[in-house]
Amino acid sequence: MKNYLTASISASAIRHNVGVLRKHVGDGVELCLVVKDDCYGHGMNVLYPLLAELVDGFAVASPVEALELRQKGYHGFVLCFLSAYFDDFEVQDELVWQEITQTVMSKSALASIQEAARRVGKTAPVHLKVDTGMGRMGIPAKQAPDLIEAIRACPDVRLTGIYTHFATADEQDRSEVFEQLTLFKSILPPDGNLVCHAANSAAIIDFPETHFNMVRPGLAVYGCHPSEFLSNDIGLKPCMSVKAKLIAVKHVREGSHCGYGLSHTFDRDSRVGIVPIGYGDGYFRCLSGKAIVRVNGQDAPVCGRVSMDQMTVDVTDIPDVQVGDDVEIISSDSSAPNSVENLARLAGTIPYEITCHLGHNIIRHVLVD
Ligand SMILES: *Cc1c(COP(=O)(O)O)cnc(C)c1O
């Protein structure tokens, strides 16, 4: 069956973004692509073959996501940010068996991994996560040397890397980045065999001193800018456009209303298009009356409230609008009013949330362009 909602991901844009990131970080720095939450909503199933050939490894949030990459046939480096539950022995064993690099941030998590490695009969690779100020996952920096020693004392666990994460790399005031960086550097063990990494997209773009020998870009690979406060422009290209088709067009009289709460009143005789997308598909309800879509290349304001499965757009000023016409919900032009970045701004959120929320009704496909 055909679906009216499609997300097209441009293969050439993804290649371009990986290319500019590689050039920006230079030789000798590995690119570990963050693909958590279904590639930030872009769709792992369709993107996997393309991404697998472009990057040096993947990072995911959950153990399930890590194991899914193995099921897809990926044999390379996979880093899992979050730990398996302490009593979930099945997943703990599978992570070791599948040679997923696990994150360690405490002695109790270390003990679980050591136990699993012994049960499975394999050595478990781990990266130590250090909290240098973000206050989330990670061992407080002061206690890191002690945990490093504990990892090295485990017969079946091997410390292969160490990392941290910045809290303010994409904020207006980014002074904390340098404090976190200094603290991170101060606890790095002297031997040079560890993979060290700290940089997310914003830090990669603006702070070369955070690159070490691996970086963890997420959003930048999909072509969006993590925030408006970045100083460098490395020329990313947004990879995704989301389209729908008009399923109805109707004429309404001046003074009539539309949508829940009758929040919109037409101040002239108008034409309204019905678009089959709503907040159930991840089109934020708070964009009601604020955002535009593009019908036949021209701006059509979203009028009235966005419903779960549909919304109304004002097409009065667009000539010859017909049922079946293309509606561009999200543009892959970052300067367009319906770009991911601009929709995020209108919705009072970040670009990440706009793409992650795109629902399963939207059929993803890769444009080989
Ligand atoms: C999500 C995440 C990243 C990627 O962040 P972007 O801003 O998308 O580049 C990197 N590291 C960690 C620990 C993350 O959770």
Side-chain angles (χ1 to χ4, degrees), residues 86 89 92-93 96 108-122 124 154-157:
F86 69 99
F89 301 124
Q92 287 172 14
D93 289 3
V96 177
S108 61
L110 175 61
S112 292
I113 296 172
Q114 164 58 33
E115 286 297 298
R118 210 188 34 152
R119 284 193 300 270
V120 170
K122 274 192 175 188
C154 284
D156 303 306
V157 178

Side-chain angles (χ1 to χ4, degrees), residues 238-271:
C239 69
M240 182 169 59
S241 73
V242 175
K243 290 210 167 79
K245 287 192 184 300
L246 278 185
I247 56 163
V249 178
K250 48 180 208 174
H251 294 265
V252 295
R253 285 259 170 242
E254 178 186 342
S256 60
H257 311 280
C258 74
Y260 282 115
L262 304 178
S263 64
H264 184 77
T265 308
F266 293 97
D267 57 10
R268 56 179 173 165
D269 288 354
S270 303
R271 260 178 316 149

Side-chain angles (χ1 to χ4, degrees), residues 30-75:
E30 298 208 314
L31 225 62
C32 175
L33 173 57
V34 182
V35 291
K36 61 195 178 196
D37 199 20
D38 202 24
C39 295
Y40 291 35
H42 292 73
M44 176 61 101
N45 276 339
V46 294
L47 275 178
Y48 171 75
L50 171 67
L51 298 179
E53 72 174 61
L54 291 178
V55 300
D56 305 308
F58 288 113
V60 293
S62 72
V64 169
E65 291 174 323
L67 296 171
E68 276 169 4
L69 279 167
R70 289 289 185 248
Q71 274 163 18
K72 290 192 179 303
Y74 188 70
H75 299 296

Side-chain angles (χ1 to χ4, degrees), residues 34 36 40 81 129 136 165 200-201 216-219 352:
V34 182
K36 61 195 178 196
Y40 291 35
F81 291 145
K129 175 79 184 277
R136 205 178 62 176
H165 192 45
N200 58 1
S201 295
R216 304 187 305 265
L219 198 71
Y352 303 72

